[in-house]
Each structure stands twice: as C-alpha cells, then as structure tokens.
Amino acid sequence: MALLSDLINLDLSDCTEKIIAEYIWVGGSGMDVRSKARTLSGPVDDPSKLPKWNFDGSSTGQAPGDDSEVILCPRAIFRDPFRKGENILVMCDCYEPNGKPIPSNKRHGAATIFSHPDVMAEEPWFGIEQEYTLLQKDTNWPLGWPLGGYPGPQGPYYCAAGADKSYGRDIVDAHYKACLYAGIDISGINGEVMPGQWEFQVGPAVGVSAGDQLWVARYILERITEIAGVVVSFDPKPIPGDWNGAGAHTNYSTKSMRSDGGYEVIKKAISKLGLRHREHIAAYGDGNERRLTGRHETADINTFIWGVANRGASVRVGRDTEKEGKGYFEDRRPASNMDPYVVTSLIAETTILWEPSHSNGKDAVAP
C-alpha cells in the first residue's frame, strides 16, 4: 500500500497534461493569506490567460453573508515548490462582482501609483527585510525558549550557529530554497537578534512586483511552518521587555538616486518622508508603537530622524551611498506585519509624486 508521502509526491506529468493552480489572496484581517486550488487543462505562464475565480467573502471578513461572492483576479504566477512540476502558485487581488476593488484590496491602489508615468520613469527598486518569529505551536512561546522561561540575554544569537543559539534553521533553509524554486527574488536570510527570530530579504524588485513577491514568500513560509508544526508570527513586538522587535525594513532607490548626483535626490526624498512621517507611520503596520520606542535599534515613533549608518534612525543611509554619491536608503520604520503594497506605493508616491506646500512645516531632522 502506498504511503501518504508517495501520493503527495506523485508525478502527474506521465498521465495528464492538467496542472494544479493554487490561487492566493490576502484575507480580511490584512495579514491572513488564504488560498484554494483548481485544475487547469495545461501549463500557463501568463496571469492574463488564467481564469478569474471567486470565493465566499463572508468567511474571510471580506463580504456580507447576503452578498458574499468576491472575485479573484490573477496577477502574478510562481512555480509551486510543494507540488512541483508544471503546477503554479497564483497571486491574486480581490474585487466585487461589479469590478470595484474591495476595501482590503491594497494591490489595486499600489498598481495605480506604480503605473503613473512619472513613477514608471524612475524605475523604483525595493528590497524588503522581512523579520518574523517562530513560535512553539501549543504555547505560542518562541522556538528554543524554555517553556514559561527565558533564554540568556541578547547578544549570542544574531547570525549565530549552534544548538544553544540557533533555533529553526531547517525551516528557514527550506523556506529559502522554496522561494528560489518559486522564482521569488529572495536575496538572503539570517538569524536575528532575539532567539527564535529570523529574517529573509526579497529584492531588489521593481514596483508592485515587490508586494507580489513578499506576499507569496509569506504564504510559502506559512505552508512550511504548517508542515513543521510551528507557528510563524509577524507581530512587531512578540515578547515585551528587553528583546528586539520585528520589522520590515524597506530599502528603496529610484533611477535618479542610482545615477550620478543621486545623493542630493536621496536627501530631498528623505526630507519629504519626514514631512509625512505621521501618515507613513499610520500605514506601516499595527502595533508598531510597541516596537518603535527609541530602543533596540529603532527611532521613537513620534520622531523622524535620518542618519548615515545609524540603525537608531527612522531612515538610514549606507556608508557606500554617501561615499559614492548615489545609491539607496533604508526606511526602518515599517513593522513586520506591514502590507508591502501599501508601504512600497506610499514611499514611491511621497518621494516621486508628492510636492510639499509651505504649510507642512520644517524639513526632516538631518544627521
């Protein structure tokens, strides 16, 4: 009799041309990834050739029970690292039957900003550093921590090796390889300062693709931790006290910033970000006030300051960027549970499209 693993790993290519497409979308909470699968007659490599689909929005907090149909529109295709073969993962966004985007559809607004001619001309690049915490399933306590207790203070755990310092590496490495298989521009991983906390980086990716890729990378991580019997948390401060929080530092550059003289463009862009600090903070994730305290490599949530090589700043500019006079900068304010569609498009809108008026007050605090 076949083992369950044998059936899961069945290669269908010998018996059918049909493939399985896993449709993925963001649920009503704004952080829950949902998915369901359908059979297609053959391989597809263009999302515009995929059929639209629907789901019961009353079960995901995205529609009322008496009018519950929500339409899934395919937007990006990735290889499926779980089913392999020609099977695919499909990132979708959500609409009412009349074609209007539902309130939780943040991709639609982002795509509108990224399709603006002025934004397209600047070719905005994003690199997102997604931090997360692995939790023991039955206790919601960080992986590797003694039950009901605490490990030794922070210091030995960042980028560490060893059974007493690194917890969950098998999950992290599986996720790394699965993302590469899927076609995600994952550029690296590392253990974080708090034990049981890790980070992966997506990018550089252009425009709305950064959001598509990060959401699918999150989905893949949820699936892998499901298999491993571990819970992944994107809470920005999962453990109170003298422990680092979890962010989603967003690295950003435009064509002008990457060109000669780009450092002046960067400084102007950072000044704009400072003028809209409150608006950005409001869009940068829930519970971020627990993380942005001015401690543990953060700036205080009520203060905007930027600096070169300063990880206690709101925005950090790298030494290489300062030296070369061009490059990128890092917005360190986004929380780990931020929506990448919202954050990336807001950064692009503020730095490329928005022009401050004299009533906006003083420029950002410089280093």
Side-chain angles (χ1 to χ4, degrees):
M1 187 173 182
L3 298 173
L4 181 60
S5 59
D6 294 333
L7 298 174
I8 291 173
N9 294 318
L10 269 179
D11 183 358
L12 301 178
S13 61
D14 293 336
C15 60
T16 181
E17 293 183 356
K18 295 179 180 179
I19 69 158
I20 302 171
E22 190 79 28
Y23 280 43
I24 302 166
W25 71 97
V26 182
S29 76
M31 267 308 292
D32 53 325
V33 279
R34 309 281 182 139
S35 75
K36 62 177 186 172
R38 67 181 299 164
T39 304
L40 302 177
S41 59
V44 180
D45 58 8
D46 183 345
S48 67
K49 296 179 181 178
L50 288 167
K52 294 181 180 179
W53 206 8
N54 63 73
F55 67 91
D56 171 18
S58 68
S59 296
T60 63
Q62 293 174 286
D66 59 353
D67 188 12
S68 64
E69 190 169 290
V70 178
I71 308 301
L72 289 169
C73 291
R75 298 302 183 191
I77 291 174
F78 300 86
R79 292 183 291 273
D80 187 338
F82 303 103
R83 296 188 176 104
K84 302 190 249 330
E86 298 283 355
N87 302 301
I88 56 176
L89 304 177
V90 183
M91 190 65 208
C92 306
D93 62 352
C94 303
Y95 295 81
E96 297 176 4
N98 63 11
K100 181 181 178 181
I102 65 173
S104 61
N105 179 356
K106 306 303 181 185
R107 190 188 191 280
H108 177 80
T112 300
I113 290 171
F114 285 122
S115 64
H116 190 286
D118 293 348
V119 177
M120 293 179 67
E122 283 290 353
E123 299 174 11
W125 291 4
F126 297 93
I128 302 173
E129 304 171 28
Q130 176 68 72
E131 296 176 345
Y132 61 94
T133 308
L134 297 175
L135 305 176
Q136 301 170 52
K137 181 181 178 182
D138 296 326
T139 62
N140 279 337
W141 200 238
L143 200 66
W145 289 36
L147 188 60
Y150 296 85
Q154 294 183 156
Y157 311 106
Y158 174 68
C159 296
D164 59 341
K165 296 182 287 293
S166 180
Y167 312 116
R169 188 183 297 276
D170 53 347
I171 293 170
V172 174
D173 201 46
H175 176 252
Y176 195 174
K177 292 180 178 178
C179 285
L180 285 172
Y181 181 96
I184 293 168
D185 293 319
I186 185 169
S187 50
I189 57 99
N190 61 268
E192 266 305 325
V193 177
M194 190 182 87
Q197 200 170 76
W198 292 82
E199 174 187 299
F200 66 88
Q201 303 94 33
V202 167
V206 180
V208 76
S209 175
D212 290 338
Q213 293 192 47
L214 189 70
W215 272 117
V216 174
R218 285 174 171 175
Y219 171 81
I220 292 173
L221 183 58
E222 293 274 13
R223 288 282 303 275
I224 290 172
T225 52
E226 171 190 325
I227 294 167
V230 171
V231 174
V232 58
S233 171
F234 296 103
D235 190 285
K237 186 71 173 180
I239 304 296
D242 195 17
W243 304 97
N244 273 35
H249 303 154
T250 302
N251 299 275
Y252 170 68
S253 71
T254 63
K255 187 175 182 179
S256 297
M257 294 175 192
R258 298 187 294 269
S259 303
D260 290 343
Y263 194 36
E264 293 304 313
V265 180
I266 287 173
K267 288 193 286 186
K268 182 179 178 182
I270 293 173
S271 178
K272 286 183 172 185
L273 290 174
L275 293 172
R276 298 184 90 184
H277 177 61
R278 290 185 180 179
E279 183 175 345
H280 279 252
I281 286 295
Y284 275 14
D286 293 333
N288 213 8
E289 72 282 352
R290 294 183 281 116
R291 167 179 161 262
L292 296 180
T293 61
R295 299 182 63 211
H296 305 109
E297 301 181 71
T298 71
D300 184 89
I301 194 169
N302 297 309
T303 304
F304 183 91
I305 185 169
W306 72 277
V308 177
N310 182 1
R311 282 181 164 77
S314 312
V315 170
R316 180 185 67 88
V317 175
R319 288 287 182 200
D320 288 345
T321 295
E322 181 189 43
K323 180 179 179 181
E324 297 176 13
K326 58 185 177 182
Y328 70 97
F329 64 83
E330 175 193 43
D331 191 336
R332 296 180 59 81
R333 297 171 294 172
S336 51
N337 60 5
M338 62 81 156
D339 188 319
Y341 295 133
V342 173
V343 169
T344 57
S345 60
L346 184 56
I347 290 173
E349 179 192 23
T350 295
T351 59
I352 300 173
L353 301 178
W354 182 74
E355 290 298 334
S357 65
H358 294 298
S359 61
N360 282 307
K362 298 179 180 179
D363 285 351
V365 180

PDB file of all heavy atoms in Angstrom, residues 4-38:
ATOM      1  N   LEU A   4       1.418   7.865   2.405  1.00  0.00           N
ATOM      2  CA  LEU A   4       0.867   9.194   2.138  1.00  0.00           C
ATOM      3  C   LEU A   4       1.898  10.064   1.419  1.00  0.00           C
ATOM      4  O   LEU A   4       1.557  10.797   0.474  1.00  0.00           O
ATOM      5  CB  LEU A   4       0.436   9.855   3.452  1.00  0.00           C
ATOM      6  CG  LEU A   4      -0.197  11.250   3.342  1.00  0.00           C
ATOM      7  CD1 LEU A   4      -1.463  11.215   2.496  1.00  0.00           C
ATOM      8  CD2 LEU A   4      -0.521  11.782   4.737  1.00  0.00           C
ATOM      9  N   SER A   5       3.164   9.974   1.827  1.00  0.00           N
ATOM     10  CA  SER A   5       4.207  10.771   1.191  1.00  0.00           C
ATOM     11  C   SER A   5       4.368  10.397  -0.282  1.00  0.00           C
ATOM     12  O   SER A   5       4.668  11.265  -1.120  1.00  0.00           O
ATOM     13  CB  SER A   5       5.536  10.602   1.928  1.00  0.00           C
ATOM     14  OG  SER A   5       5.929   9.239   1.945  1.00  0.00           O
ATOM     15  N   ASP A   6       4.162   9.114  -0.614  1.00  0.00           N
ATOM     16  CA  ASP A   6       4.245   8.690  -2.014  1.00  0.00           C
ATOM     17  C   ASP A   6       3.162   9.365  -2.844  1.00  0.00           C
ATOM     18  O   ASP A   6       3.400   9.799  -3.978  1.00  0.00           O
ATOM     19  CB  ASP A   6       4.094   7.177  -2.126  1.00  0.00           C
ATOM     20  CG  ASP A   6       5.250   6.432  -1.478  1.00  0.00           C
ATOM     21  OD1 ASP A   6       6.355   7.007  -1.410  1.00  0.00           O
ATOM     22  OD2 ASP A   6       5.044   5.288  -1.053  1.00  0.00           O
ATOM     23  N   LEU A   7       1.975   9.457  -2.290  1.00  0.00           N
ATOM     24  CA  LEU A   7       0.861  10.066  -3.018  1.00  0.00           C
ATOM     25  C   LEU A   7       1.033  11.573  -3.144  1.00  0.00           C
ATOM     26  O   LEU A   7       0.726  12.158  -4.183  1.00  0.00           O
ATOM     27  CB  LEU A   7      -0.457   9.739  -2.315  1.00  0.00           C
ATOM     28  CG  LEU A   7      -0.809   8.256  -2.243  1.00  0.00           C
ATOM     29  CD1 LEU A   7      -2.053   8.041  -1.394  1.00  0.00           C
ATOM     30  CD2 LEU A   7      -1.008   7.683  -3.642  1.00  0.00           C
ATOM     31  N   ILE A   8       1.534  12.195  -2.076  1.00  0.00           N
ATOM     32  CA  ILE A   8       1.773  13.636  -2.134  1.00  0.00           C
ATOM     33  C   ILE A   8       2.786  13.966  -3.220  1.00  0.00           C
ATOM     34  O   ILE A   8       2.657  14.985  -3.921  1.00  0.00           O
ATOM     35  CB  ILE A   8       2.259  14.152  -0.754  1.00  0.00           C
ATOM     36  CG1 ILE A   8       1.123  14.070   0.270  1.00  0.00           C
ATOM     37  CG2 ILE A   8       2.776  15.590  -0.866  1.00  0.00           C
ATOM     38  CD1 ILE A   8       1.563  14.391   1.686  1.00  0.00           C
ATOM     39  N   ASN A   9       3.771  13.097  -3.381  1.00  0.00           N
ATOM     40  CA  ASN A   9       4.854  13.345  -4.332  1.00  0.00           C
ATOM     41  C   ASN A   9       4.613  12.728  -5.702  1.00  0.00           C
ATOM     42  O   ASN A   9       5.540  12.649  -6.518  1.00  0.00           O
ATOM     43  CB  ASN A   9       6.172  12.814  -3.759  1.00  0.00           C
ATOM     44  CG  ASN A   9       6.604  13.584  -2.520  1.00  0.00           C
ATOM     45  OD1 ASN A   9       6.496  14.799  -2.471  1.00  0.00           O
ATOM     46  ND2 ASN A   9       7.093  12.861  -1.513  1.00  0.00           N
ATOM     47  N   LEU A  10       3.399  12.317  -5.990  1.00  0.00           N
ATOM     48  CA  LEU A  10       3.085  11.740  -7.298  1.00  0.00           C
ATOM     49  C   LEU A  10       3.448  12.706  -8.418  1.00  0.00           C
ATOM     50  O   LEU A  10       3.103  13.891  -8.384  1.00  0.00           O
ATOM     51  CB  LEU A  10       1.590  11.432  -7.386  1.00  0.00           C
ATOM     52  CG  LEU A  10       1.096  10.052  -6.964  1.00  0.00           C
ATOM     53  CD1 LEU A  10      -0.421   9.984  -7.118  1.00  0.00           C
ATOM     54  CD2 LEU A  10       1.743   8.958  -7.799  1.00  0.00           C
ATOM     55  N   ASP A  11       4.118  12.204  -9.441  1.00  0.00           N
ATOM     56  CA  ASP A  11       4.413  12.985 -10.641  1.00  0.00           C
ATOM     57  C   ASP A  11       3.274  12.762 -11.630  1.00  0.00           C
ATOM     58  O   ASP A  11       3.089  11.660 -12.158  1.00  0.00           O
ATOM     59  CB  ASP A  11       5.744  12.530 -11.234  1.00  0.00           C
ATOM     60  CG  ASP A  11       6.147  13.349 -12.454  1.00  0.00           C
ATOM     61  OD1 ASP A  11       5.370  14.243 -12.857  1.00  0.00           O
ATOM     62  OD2 ASP A  11       7.234  13.095 -13.001  1.00  0.00           O
ATOM     63  N   LEU A  12       2.487  13.803 -11.875  1.00  0.00           N
ATOM     64  CA  LEU A  12       1.303  13.678 -12.737  1.00  0.00           C
ATOM     65  C   LEU A  12       1.631  13.814 -14.209  1.00  0.00           C
ATOM     66  O   LEU A  12       0.775  13.553 -15.059  1.00  0.00           O
ATOM     67  CB  LEU A  12       0.277  14.747 -12.344  1.00  0.00           C
ATOM     68  CG  LEU A  12      -0.230  14.730 -10.897  1.00  0.00           C
ATOM     69  CD1 LEU A  12      -1.211  15.874 -10.660  1.00  0.00           C
ATOM     70  CD2 LEU A  12      -0.881  13.396 -10.570  1.00  0.00           C
ATOM     71  N   SER A  13       2.855  14.245 -14.532  1.00  0.00           N
ATOM     72  CA  SER A  13       3.188  14.555 -15.921  1.00  0.00           C
ATOM     73  C   SER A  13       3.125  13.323 -16.827  1.00  0.00           C
ATOM     74  O   SER A  13       2.958  13.453 -18.042  1.00  0.00           O
ATOM     75  CB  SER A  13       4.577  15.186 -16.008  1.00  0.00           C
ATOM     76  OG  SER A  13       5.569  14.302 -15.517  1.00  0.00           O
ATOM     77  N   ASP A  14       3.252  12.124 -16.254  1.00  0.00           N
ATOM     78  CA  ASP A  14       3.217  10.903 -17.064  1.00  0.00           C
ATOM     79  C   ASP A  14       1.810  10.503 -17.472  1.00  0.00           C
ATOM     80  O   ASP A  14       1.639   9.709 -18.408  1.00  0.00           O
ATOM     81  CB  ASP A  14       3.853   9.739 -16.296  1.00  0.00           C
ATOM     82  CG  ASP A  14       5.340   9.923 -16.069  1.00  0.00           C
ATOM     83  OD1 ASP A  14       5.950  10.672 -16.848  1.00  0.00           O
ATOM     84  OD2 ASP A  14       5.876   9.334 -15.114  1.00  0.00           O
ATOM     85  N   CYS A  15       0.798  11.056 -16.787  1.00  0.00           N
ATOM     86  CA  CYS A  15      -0.562  10.585 -17.035  1.00  0.00           C
ATOM     87  C   CYS A  15      -1.538  11.676 -17.477  1.00  0.00           C
ATOM     88  O   CYS A  15      -2.638  11.365 -17.930  1.00  0.00           O
ATOM     89  CB  CYS A  15      -1.111   9.888 -15.799  1.00  0.00           C
ATOM     90  SG  CYS A  15      -1.182  10.943 -14.341  1.00  0.00           S
ATOM     91  N   THR A  16      -1.154  12.938 -17.347  1.00  0.00           N
ATOM     92  CA  THR A  16      -2.069  14.014 -17.730  1.00  0.00           C
ATOM     93  C   THR A  16      -1.299  15.297 -18.007  1.00  0.00           C
ATOM     94  O   THR A  16      -0.214  15.513 -17.463  1.00  0.00           O
ATOM     95  CB  THR A  16      -3.112  14.271 -16.621  1.00  0.00           C
ATOM     96  OG1 THR A  16      -3.997  15.315 -17.041  1.00  0.00           O
ATOM     97  CG2 THR A  16      -2.441  14.692 -15.318  1.00  0.00           C
ATOM     98  N   GLU A  17      -1.870  16.140 -18.865  1.00  0.00           N
ATOM     99  CA  GLU A  17      -1.311  17.474 -19.119  1.00  0.00           C
ATOM    100  C   GLU A  17      -1.892  18.508 -18.160  1.00  0.00           C
ATOM    101  O   GLU A  17      -1.441  19.647 -18.131  1.00  0.00           O
ATOM    102  CB  GLU A  17      -1.598  17.897 -20.566  1.00  0.00           C
ATOM    103  CG  GLU A  17      -0.874  17.065 -21.607  1.00  0.00           C
ATOM    104  CD  GLU A  17      -1.116  17.558 -23.017  1.00  0.00           C
ATOM    105  OE1 GLU A  17      -1.925  18.506 -23.173  1.00  0.00           O
ATOM    106  OE2 GLU A  17      -0.506  17.010 -23.960  1.00  0.00           O
ATOM    107  N   LYS A  18      -2.876  18.089 -17.387  1.00  0.00           N
ATOM    108  CA  LYS A  18      -3.515  19.020 -16.469  1.00  0.00           C
ATOM    109  C   LYS A  18      -2.561  19.430 -15.350  1.00  0.00           C
ATOM    110  O   LYS A  18      -1.687  18.654 -14.959  1.00  0.00           O
ATOM    111  CB  LYS A  18      -4.779  18.397 -15.875  1.00  0.00           C
ATOM    112  CG  LYS A  18      -5.872  18.141 -16.907  1.00  0.00           C
ATOM    113  CD  LYS A  18      -7.083  17.494 -16.272  1.00  0.00           C
ATOM    114  CE  LYS A  18      -8.170  17.255 -17.328  1.00  0.00           C
ATOM    115  NZ  LYS A  18      -9.364  16.599 -16.726  1.00  0.00           N
ATOM    116  N   ILE A  19      -2.738  20.643 -14.854  1.00  0.00           N
ATOM    117  CA  ILE A  19      -1.911  21.139 -13.750  1.00  0.00           C
ATOM    118  C   ILE A  19      -2.816  21.678 -12.651  1.00  0.00           C
ATOM    119  O   ILE A  19      -4.024  21.873 -12.847  1.00  0.00           O
ATOM    120  CB  ILE A  19      -0.933  22.244 -14.205  1.00  0.00           C
ATOM    121  CG1 ILE A  19      -1.709  23.523 -14.573  1.00  0.00           C
ATOM    122  CG2 ILE A  19      -0.053  21.774 -15.335  1.00  0.00           C
ATOM    123  CD1 ILE A  19      -0.890  24.781 -14.527  1.00  0.00           C
ATOM    124  N   ILE A  20      -2.210  21.924 -11.495  1.00  0.00           N
ATOM    125  CA  ILE A  20      -2.931  22.491 -10.356  1.00  0.00           C
ATOM    126  C   ILE A  20      -2.438  23.917 -10.132  1.00  0.00           C
ATOM    127  O   ILE A  20      -1.233  24.165 -10.061  1.00  0.00           O
ATOM    128  CB  ILE A  20      -2.705  21.656  -9.083  1.00  0.00           C
ATOM    129  CG1 ILE A  20      -3.153  20.217  -9.305  1.00  0.00           C
ATOM    130  CG2 ILE A  20      -3.438  22.277  -7.896  1.00  0.00           C
ATOM    131  CD1 ILE A  20      -2.762  19.268  -8.185  1.00  0.00           C
ATOM    132  N   ALA A  21      -3.377  24.831 -10.038  1.00  0.00           N
ATOM    133  CA  ALA A  21      -3.062  26.228  -9.757  1.00  0.00           C
ATOM    134  C   ALA A  21      -3.615  26.595  -8.386  1.00  0.00           C
ATOM    135  O   ALA A  21      -4.823  26.453  -8.143  1.00  0.00           O
ATOM    136  CB  ALA A  21      -3.666  27.143 -10.819  1.00  0.00           C
ATOM    137  N   GLU A  22      -2.728  27.020  -7.487  1.00  0.00           N
ATOM    138  CA  GLU A  22      -3.127  27.448  -6.147  1.00  0.00           C
ATOM    139  C   GLU A  22      -3.327  28.963  -6.175  1.00  0.00           C
ATOM    140  O   GLU A  22      -2.367  29.722  -6.314  1.00  0.00           O
ATOM    141  CB  GLU A  22      -2.056  27.069  -5.128  1.00  0.00           C
ATOM    142  CG  GLU A  22      -2.474  27.242  -3.686  1.00  0.00           C
ATOM    143  CD  GLU A  22      -3.347  26.102  -3.165  1.00  0.00           C
ATOM    144  OE1 GLU A  22      -3.220  24.963  -3.667  1.00  0.00           O
ATOM    145  OE2 GLU A  22      -4.149  26.357  -2.241  1.00  0.00           O
ATOM    146  N   TYR A  23      -4.587  29.405  -6.074  1.00  0.00           N
ATOM    147  CA  TYR A  23      -4.911  30.829  -6.075  1.00  0.00           C
ATOM    148  C   TYR A  23      -4.748  31.381  -4.653  1.00  0.00           C
ATOM    149  O   TYR A  23      -5.364  30.887  -3.716  1.00  0.00           O
ATOM    150  CB  TYR A  23      -6.342  31.054  -6.543  1.00  0.00           C
ATOM    151  CG  TYR A  23      -6.550  31.024  -8.044  1.00  0.00           C
ATOM    152  CD1 TYR A  23      -5.936  30.058  -8.849  1.00  0.00           C
ATOM    153  CD2 TYR A  23      -7.367  31.963  -8.675  1.00  0.00           C
ATOM    154  CE1 TYR A  23      -6.136  30.038 -10.227  1.00  0.00           C
ATOM    155  CE2 TYR A  23      -7.581  31.951 -10.048  1.00  0.00           C
ATOM    156  CZ  TYR A  23      -6.963  30.988 -10.824  1.00  0.00           C
ATOM    157  OH  TYR A  23      -7.156  30.963 -12.198  1.00  0.00           O
ATOM    158  N   ILE A  24      -3.935  32.417  -4.507  1.00  0.00           N
ATOM    159  CA  ILE A  24      -3.602  33.012  -3.206  1.00  0.00           C
ATOM    160  C   ILE A  24      -4.137  34.428  -3.152  1.00  0.00           C
ATOM    161  O   ILE A  24      -4.057  35.175  -4.134  1.00  0.00           O
ATOM    162  CB  ILE A  24      -2.065  33.028  -3.008  1.00  0.00           C
ATOM    163  CG1 ILE A  24      -1.484  31.614  -3.113  1.00  0.00           C
ATOM    164  CG2 ILE A  24      -1.688  33.666  -1.676  1.00  0.00           C
ATOM    165  CD1 ILE A  24       0.034  31.602  -3.270  1.00  0.00           C
ATOM    166  N   TRP A  25      -4.686  34.802  -1.989  1.00  0.00           N
ATOM    167  CA  TRP A  25      -5.102  36.194  -1.806  1.00  0.00           C
ATOM    168  C   TRP A  25      -4.935  36.597  -0.340  1.00  0.00           C
ATOM    169  O   TRP A  25      -4.736  35.748   0.527  1.00  0.00           O
ATOM    170  CB  TRP A  25      -6.537  36.415  -2.271  1.00  0.00           C
ATOM    171  CG  TRP A  25      -7.615  35.805  -1.412  1.00  0.00           C
ATOM    172  CD1 TRP A  25      -8.348  36.422  -0.437  1.00  0.00           C
ATOM    173  CD2 TRP A  25      -8.129  34.450  -1.484  1.00  0.00           C
ATOM    174  NE1 TRP A  25      -9.261  35.556   0.123  1.00  0.00           N
ATOM    175  CE2 TRP A  25      -9.145  34.345  -0.500  1.00  0.00           C
ATOM    176  CE3 TRP A  25      -7.816  33.340  -2.258  1.00  0.00           C
ATOM    177  CZ2 TRP A  25      -9.855  33.164  -0.293  1.00  0.00           C
ATOM    178  CZ3 TRP A  25      -8.522  32.164  -2.045  1.00  0.00           C
ATOM    179  CH2 TRP A  25      -9.525  32.080  -1.081  1.00  0.00           C
ATOM    180  N   VAL A  26      -5.010  37.891  -0.080  1.00  0.00           N
ATOM    181  CA  VAL A  26      -4.901  38.432   1.276  1.00  0.00           C
ATOM    182  C   VAL A  26      -6.305  38.524   1.864  1.00  0.00           C
ATOM    183  O   VAL A  26      -7.207  39.100   1.247  1.00  0.00           O
ATOM    184  CB  VAL A  26      -4.225  39.820   1.279  1.00  0.00           C
ATOM    185  CG1 VAL A  26      -4.083  40.344   2.709  1.00  0.00           C
ATOM    186  CG2 VAL A  26      -2.858  39.746   0.605  1.00  0.00           C
ATOM    187  N   GLY A  27      -6.493  37.961   3.055  1.00  0.00           N
ATOM    188  CA  GLY A  27      -7.806  37.921   3.676  1.00  0.00           C
ATOM    189  C   GLY A  27      -8.203  39.222   4.349  1.00  0.00           C
ATOM    190  O   GLY A  27      -7.509  40.245   4.273  1.00  0.00           O
ATOM    191  N   GLY A  28      -9.314  39.167   5.054  1.00  0.00           N
ATOM    192  CA  GLY A  28      -9.930  40.365   5.601  1.00  0.00           C
ATOM    193  C   GLY A  28      -9.161  41.044   6.710  1.00  0.00           C
ATOM    194  O   GLY A  28      -9.337  42.252   6.937  1.00  0.00           O
ATOM    195  N   SER A  29      -8.309  40.324   7.436  1.00  0.00           N
ATOM    196  CA  SER A  29      -7.544  40.954   8.508  1.00  0.00           C
ATOM    197  C   SER A  29      -6.407  41.799   7.971  1.00  0.00           C
ATOM    198  O   SER A  29      -5.828  42.615   8.690  1.00  0.00           O
ATOM    199  CB  SER A  29      -6.973  39.887   9.455  1.00  0.00           C
ATOM    200  OG  SER A  29      -5.859  39.232   8.873  1.00  0.00           O
ATOM    201  N   GLY A  30      -6.063  41.593   6.701  1.00  0.00           N
ATOM    202  CA  GLY A  30      -4.935  42.296   6.113  1.00  0.00           C
ATOM    203  C   GLY A  30      -3.618  41.589   6.304  1.00  0.00           C
ATOM    204  O   GLY A  30      -2.602  41.985   5.727  1.00  0.00           O
ATOM    205  N   MET A  31      -3.584  40.514   7.109  1.00  0.00           N
ATOM    206  CA  MET A  31      -2.363  39.748   7.310  1.00  0.00           C
ATOM    207  C   MET A  31      -2.553  38.248   7.074  1.00  0.00           C
ATOM    208  O   MET A  31      -1.588  37.500   7.028  1.00  0.00           O
ATOM    209  CB  MET A  31      -1.814  39.962   8.724  1.00  0.00           C
ATOM    210  CG  MET A  31      -0.787  41.075   8.841  1.00  0.00           C
ATOM    211  SD  MET A  31       0.584  40.950   7.675  1.00  0.00           S
ATOM    212  CE  MET A  31       1.441  39.494   8.276  1.00  0.00           C
ATOM    213  N   ASP A  32      -3.788  37.799   6.940  1.00  0.00           N
ATOM    214  CA  ASP A  32      -4.032  36.370   6.729  1.00  0.00           C
ATOM    215  C   ASP A  32      -3.979  36.057   5.228  1.00  0.00           C
ATOM    216  O   ASP A  32      -4.666  36.682   4.425  1.00  0.00           O
ATOM    217  CB  ASP A  32      -5.375  35.941   7.324  1.00  0.00           C
ATOM    218  CG  ASP A  32      -6.545  36.798   6.853  1.00  0.00           C
ATOM    219  OD1 ASP A  32      -6.361  38.023   6.659  1.00  0.00           O
ATOM    220  OD2 ASP A  32      -7.650  36.259   6.679  1.00  0.00           O
ATOM    221  N   VAL A  33      -3.142  35.098   4.861  1.00  0.00           N
ATOM    222  CA  VAL A  33      -3.103  34.664   3.468  1.00  0.00           C
ATOM    223  C   VAL A  33      -4.020  33.454   3.309  1.00  0.00           C
ATOM    224  O   VAL A  33      -3.968  32.510   4.099  1.00  0.00           O
ATOM    225  CB  VAL A  33      -1.670  34.336   3.005  1.00  0.00           C
ATOM    226  CG1 VAL A  33      -0.920  35.590   2.634  1.00  0.00           C
ATOM    227  CG2 VAL A  33      -0.892  33.550   4.049  1.00  0.00           C
ATOM    228  N   ARG A  34      -4.856  33.524   2.314  1.00  0.00           N
ATOM    229  CA  ARG A  34      -5.808  32.447   2.021  1.00  0.00           C
ATOM    230  C   ARG A  34      -5.455  31.845   0.664  1.00  0.00           C
ATOM    231  O   ARG A  34      -4.815  32.493  -0.170  1.00  0.00           O
ATOM    232  CB  ARG A  34      -7.235  33.008   1.972  1.00  0.00           C
ATOM    233  CG  ARG A  34      -7.643  33.849   3.184  1.00  0.00           C
ATOM    234  CD  ARG A  34      -8.019  33.003   4.365  1.00  0.00           C
ATOM    235  NE  ARG A  34      -8.451  33.813   5.506  1.00  0.00           N
ATOM    236  CZ  ARG A  34      -9.471  33.511   6.287  1.00  0.00           C
ATOM    237  NH1 ARG A  34     -10.165  32.408   6.081  1.00  0.00           N
ATOM    238  NH2 ARG A  34      -9.786  34.286   7.315  1.00  0.00           N
ATOM    239  N   SER A  35      -5.902  30.621   0.422  1.00  0.00           N
ATOM    240  CA  SER A  35      -5.671  30.025  -0.893  1.00  0.00           C
ATOM    241  C   SER A  35      -6.628  28.872  -1.125  1.00  0.00           C
ATOM    242  O   SER A  35      -7.127  28.255  -0.180  1.00  0.00           O
ATOM    243  CB  SER A  35      -4.221  29.529  -1.026  1.00  0.00           C
ATOM    244  OG  SER A  35      -4.009  28.331  -0.311  1.00  0.00           O
ATOM    245  N   LYS A  36      -6.860  28.595  -2.394  1.00  0.00           N
ATOM    246  CA  LYS A  36      -7.571  27.377  -2.792  1.00  0.00           C
ATOM    247  C   LYS A  36      -7.103  26.999  -4.197  1.00  0.00           C
ATOM    248  O   LYS A  36      -6.589  27.838  -4.948  1.00  0.00           O
ATOM    249  CB  LYS A  36      -9.086  27.562  -2.732  1.00  0.00           C
ATOM    250  CG  LYS A  36      -9.677  28.616  -3.663  1.00  0.00           C
ATOM    251  CD  LYS A  36     -11.202  28.587  -3.514  1.00  0.00           C
ATOM    252  CE  LYS A  36     -11.888  29.511  -4.514  1.00  0.00           C
ATOM    253  NZ  LYS A  36     -13.373  29.332  -4.478  1.00  0.00           N
ATOM    254  N   ALA A  37      -7.268  25.727  -4.529  1.00  0.00           N
ATOM    255  CA  ALA A  37      -6.672  25.194  -5.749  1.00  0.00           C
ATOM    256  C   ALA A  37      -7.733  24.826  -6.773  1.00  0.00           C
ATOM    257  O   ALA A  37      -8.867  24.479  -6.433  1.00  0.00           O
ATOM    258  CB  ALA A  37      -5.817  23.977  -5.427  1.00  0.00           C
ATOM    259  N   ARG A  38      -7.330  24.887  -8.037  1.00  0.00           N
ATOM    260  CA  ARG A  38      -8.192  24.443  -9.132  1.00  0.00           C
ATOM    261  C   ARG A  38      -7.354  23.753 -10.198  1.00  0.00           C
ATOM    262  O   ARG A  38      -6.136  23.973 -10.308  1.00  0.00           O
ATOM    263  CB  ARG A  38      -8.964  25.611  -9.739  1.00  0.00           C
ATOM    264  CG  ARG A  38      -8.113  26.631 -10.472  1.00  0.00           C
ATOM    265  CD  ARG A  38      -8.967  27.772 -11.015  1.00  0.00           C
ATOM    266  NE  ARG A  38      -9.963  27.312 -11.979  1.00  0.00           N
ATOM    267  CZ  ARG A  38     -11.023  28.035 -12.371  1.00  0.00           C
ATOM    268  NH1 ARG A  38     -11.212  29.230 -11.841  1.00  0.00           N
ATOM    269  NH2 ARG A  38     -11.874  27.572 -13.261  1.00  0.00           N
TER     270      ARG A  38
END
